[in-house]
């Protein structure tokens, strides 16, 4: 095999009995099946598809963080030469949805096109379909919206105060309701007793800001009305059936009326699972009986497409003299922005990730999915976990330094082992945290005491 | 304003097209000539996915009004490979696993091609500078830089073999 | 005025699969008379290489070379259901579904070959080059193209298989959070080395050492792509990226790649990595998902390295030069 790629060595000394196997094709650096297409420019992405008579959709978006919409004047847009159709919420058969409704997440809290209010800067209000992108853009800019400003809620702790204005009327308060409760909870053991027994206490808060996927290929689709009344959707979605099912429900058509073609995406990272462009493009295609392309401008991709949620995480630890965490209390505030999207799911995933890969006998977690007047956040690479790991592993380091314990040794002492009970009451299996640390210590020449070098994930050594 | 007749030599062939005002070189290539290897990532000149080579220089085609390119020699990725055989540069990308989603690849190859045409033995830093206008979100760039250096080696090896 | 050096550690795990399960994927395999086994899916390749790794799974299970595998995705008219590509679920769920389909197809393939060669199916093996042959014999064999033609035109038999992988949905208990969130966990440890300029607050990551335990590296070169690409993205998250630099204030948000800061080709860290394998009982050939996690451990490793270098603990991402400099100034002020 002629690969020139430098590959990381697989250290077969670890778990050698478990991993022993003989394969022919698996485990080899088989050349990527798509590489030749990429280097010859023949790989086809959705925007490389073009149809005769294709029309273009551009969106008029909210210029306010939070406002009532008193009136919308589309007359100037409608009379612009080259404009085929102007689309408002009245043209959307079922305007309200939430992307995870098909797996039981409720309520349907987001409109395809805004009705009586806007909840974030950039929220879509009016779609313009025209002969060219330039005309669509020009006409979209001519839409006039009459706003009545409302207070903008931009901080998650402010949002949770009872006196703060409600951001999303479909929820009635600024948090997602988990089975009648205001947050996702983990209750394992008794943290207060653990704190009482612990000689050391560490309480710190960590904060992240929203992060964009920024794939080089922007979000978009091309929808073609077919001769048999069906719609063919070329999309860069990460999930063909999320797109198909949600679009069908919004359009009020049987699922098999739609066909989604995709599978080759110019970077996703979780940013192309929100079904933001296909429904309105389908409506446009139906209303004009023309193929319609709707692709995000880069500025829209940056500020309007969903980012990774900003998170505020407070970790409160009770720790013994030898660095074992015996009580961990975590509050997570996930900034979901104006609408749910995937955040209710991501917040549960964050709670499930607690308290990190460590065996801690007393764990308490409140994970809140909080609504604010900003671009709705959604899934991104490491959803629910990435920012948590920043907090968890910064915290570990601080404890190690305060107690003057080696940073690897403290993690090894706390690391989970096979058979341990996790805070969500699932038994650990297939653990390997001990071994990745041992190997990393080896690679960087970080000395470990003999007892640490002898540790294993398969059992917990006697103390 | 009226459409204009534009003449370009694209990948060695003379092409003529009618361009409406506001057409960029990228738009002319993709929509006018069906050459879709150059990609539209930002239309702001910020990502390099639209990079083509005009009169020997790697340029962001999304920022060039096609009228300005009238009469120019344009090279796109479609001109790089003919038939079944890849150039050393393309082969180096394949062998070196220097592609993931592939969306930046056309721009990267055109930037690399312009560099190697002018500087057949670049240093690592010179390669980094040459692709500093090409955004990649997937690879972390190291494999791409390795592949371009590898391509330079392969090209010199072919050259010296031919000379022997 | 000095360049301060530091080292930091972080160790993490990451779950495979859509949180709480309920995310099935299906695969269909059929043999054509041209020698190709077509794997039909509705799964999406984002560039992580799903199409390649799935072809490897199919080739391995069928006992055929990669050249005989054709991946056909994604068209919802022809492909069976797939939940999508996210939650590091692709290799695990689609790989398992494809293996199940390939096992069925292989069984039919051997039965058809047994009929052609007039032997017992149990005495047949694939040689990995496209032949199905009698164990211990060099002559009694049939090529997969000839077999497909014989099955279609003579035997009236289809050579195909069906597969699905579903982890049933788990519901959390509201009061305690008891739940079954994932199929398996992958692990990582990153050691970051940084230089901090105490005059400007700028941080340069000089080296990242990463160890990943991923169950089974189905394609080590593509695993490497995730490790490197993810480490870069982690460095970018830690030090550069945000759409709201003054969060929770929304002003000065980036609208272009020039404004959305990320490390460029001249800002790279040296990287050394190693892979461990502890095969997952429920993964394809033991494979776990790693696509998402590779940005995670670099971030706190870098934060911890900055502390090690200059004593500044930044509790906020991204860790900008401004934050570091304010921290250094505060330490100097006493």
């Amino acid at each position: 095999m002629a690969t020139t790629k430098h590959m990381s060595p697989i250290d077969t000394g670890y778990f050698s009995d478990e991993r022993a196997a003989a394969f022919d094709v698996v485990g080899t650096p088989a050349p990527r099946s798509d590489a030749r297409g990429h280097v010859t420019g023949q790989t086809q992405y959705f925007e490389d598809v073009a149809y005769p008579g294709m029309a273009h959709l551009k969106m008029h978006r909210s210029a306010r963080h939070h406002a009532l919409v008193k009136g919308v004047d589309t007359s100037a847009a409608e009379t612009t030469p080259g404009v085929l159709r102007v689309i408002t919420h009245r043209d959307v058969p079922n305007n309200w949805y939430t992307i995870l409704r098909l797996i039981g997440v409720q309520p349907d809290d987001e409109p395809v096109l805004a009705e009586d209010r806007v909840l974030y800067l950039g929220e879509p209000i009016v779609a313009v379909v025209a002969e060219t992108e330039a005309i669509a853009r020009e006409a979209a800019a001519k839409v006039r919206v009459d706003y009545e400003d409302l207070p903008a809620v931009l901080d998650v702790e402010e949002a949770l105060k009872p006196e703060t204005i409600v951001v999303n009327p479909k929820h009635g308060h600024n948090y997602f309701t988990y089975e009648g409760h205001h947050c996702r909870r983990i209750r394992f053991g008794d943290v207060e007793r653990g704190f009482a027994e612990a000689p050391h206490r560490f309480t710190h808060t960590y904060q992240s800001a929203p992060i964009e996927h920024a794939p080089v290929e922007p979000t978009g689709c091309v929808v073609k009305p077919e001769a048999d009344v069906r719609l063919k959707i070329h999309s860069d979605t990460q999930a063909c059936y999320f797109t198909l099912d949600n679009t069908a429900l919004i359009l009020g058509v049987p699922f098999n009326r739609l066909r989604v073609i995709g599978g080759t995406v110019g970077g996703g990272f979780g940013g192309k699972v929100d079904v933001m462009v296909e429904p309105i493009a389908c409506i446009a295609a139906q209303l004009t009986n023309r193929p319609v392309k709707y692709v995000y401008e880069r500025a829209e991709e940056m500020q309007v497409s969903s980012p990774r949620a900003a998170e505020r995480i407070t970790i409160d630890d009770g720790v013994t003299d030898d660095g074992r965490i015996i009580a961990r209390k975590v509050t997570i505030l996930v900034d979901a922005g104006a609408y749910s999207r995937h955040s209710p799911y991501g917040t549960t995933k964050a709670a499930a990730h607690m308290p990190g890969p460590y065996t801690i006998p007393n764990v308490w977690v409140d994970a809140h999915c909080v609504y604010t007047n900003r671009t709705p956040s959604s899934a991104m690479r490491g959803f629910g976990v990435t920012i948590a790991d920043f907090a968890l592993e910064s915290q570990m380091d601080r404890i190690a330094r305060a107690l003057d314990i080696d940073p690897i040794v403290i993690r090894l002492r706390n690391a989970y082992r096979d058979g341990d009970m996790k805070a969500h009451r699932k038994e650990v299996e297939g653990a390997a945290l001990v071994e990745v640390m041992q190997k990393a210590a080896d690679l960087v020449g970080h000395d470990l005491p003999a007892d640490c070098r002898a540790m294993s994930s398969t059992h917990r050594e006697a103390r | 304003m009226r459409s204009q007749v534009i003449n370009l030599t694209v990948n060695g062939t003379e092409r003529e097209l009618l361009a409406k005002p506001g057409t960029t070189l990228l738009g002319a290539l993709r929509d006018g000539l069906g050459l879709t290897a150059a990609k539209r990532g930002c239309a702001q000149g910020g990502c390099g996915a639209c990079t083509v080579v005009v009169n020997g220089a790697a340029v962001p085609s999304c920022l060039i009004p096609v009228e300005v390119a009238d009469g120019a020699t344009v090279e796109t990725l479609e001109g790089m490979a003919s038939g079944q055989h890849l150039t050393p540069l393309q082969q180096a990308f394949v062998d070196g696993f220097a592609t993931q989603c592939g969306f930046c690849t056309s721009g990267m190859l055109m930037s690399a091609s312009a560099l190697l045409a002018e500087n057949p033995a670049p240093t690592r830093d010179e390669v980094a500078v040459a692709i500093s206008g090409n955004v990649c979100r997937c690879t972390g760039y190291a494999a791409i830089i390795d592949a371009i250096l590898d391509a330079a080696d392969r090209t010199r090896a072919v050259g010296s073999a031919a000379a022997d | 005025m000095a360049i301060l050096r530091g080292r930091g550690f972080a160790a993490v795990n990451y779950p495979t699969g859509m949180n709480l399960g309920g995310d099935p994927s299906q695969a269909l395999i059929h043999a054509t008379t041209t020698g190709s086994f077509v794997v039909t899916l509705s799964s999406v390749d984002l560039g992580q290489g799903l199409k390649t790794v799935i072809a490897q799974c199919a080739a391995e299970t069928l006992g055929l070379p990669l050249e005989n595998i054709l991946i056909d995705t994604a068209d919802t008219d022809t492909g069976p259901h797939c939940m999508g590509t996210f939650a590091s679920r692709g290799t695990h769920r689609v790989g398992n579904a494809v293996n199940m389909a390939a096992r069925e197809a292989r069984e039919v393939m051997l039965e058809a070959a047994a009929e052609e060669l007039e032997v017992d199916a149990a005495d047949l093996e694939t040689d990995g080059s496209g032949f199905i042959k009698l164990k211990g014999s060099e002559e009694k064999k049939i090529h997969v193209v000839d077999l497909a033609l014989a099955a279609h035109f003579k035997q009236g038999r289809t050579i195909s298989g069906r597969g699905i992988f579903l982890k049933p949905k788990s519901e959390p208990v509201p009061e305690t959070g008891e739940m079954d969130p994932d199929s398996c966990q992958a692990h990582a440890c990153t050691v970051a080395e940084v230089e901090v300029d105490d005059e400007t607050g700028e941080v340069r990551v000089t080296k990242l050492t990463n160890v990943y335990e991923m169950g089974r590296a189905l394609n080590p070169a593509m695993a490497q792509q995730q490790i490197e690409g993810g480490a870069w993205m982690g460095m970018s998250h830690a030090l550069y990226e945000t759409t709201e630099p003054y969060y929770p204030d929304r002003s000065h948000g980036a609208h272009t790649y020039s404004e959305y800061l990320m490390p460029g080709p001249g800002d790279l860290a040296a990287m050394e990595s190693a892979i461990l394998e502890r095969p997952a009982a429920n993964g394809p050939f033991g494979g776990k998902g790693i696509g998402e996690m590779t940005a995670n451990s670099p971030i706190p490793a870098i934060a911890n390295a900055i502390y090690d270098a200059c004593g500044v603990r930044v509790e906020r991402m991204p860790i900008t030069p401004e934050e570091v400099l304010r921290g250094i100034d505060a330490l100097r002020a006493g």
Side-chain angles (χ1 to χ4, degrees), chain A residues 238-239 270 273, chain C residues 43-46 48 50 82-90:
Chain A
Q238 295 181 214
V273 226
Chain C
S43 308
V44 180
D45 196 323
L46 310 180
Q48 83 283 33
L50 183 74
C82 176
M83 203 77 183
T85 298
F86 51 86
S88 299
R89 66 180 298 280

Side-chain angles (χ1 to χ4, degrees), chain A residues 36 39 45 47-48 133 298, chain B residues 39-41 84 90 101:
Chain A
R36 282 186 80 99
V39 301
Y45 303 87
E47 208 186 4
D48 298 327
E133 269 195 7
R298 181 51 57 180
Chain B
K39 302 301 177 200
R40 185 168 69 152
Q84 298 303 306
Q90 291 165 310
C101 83

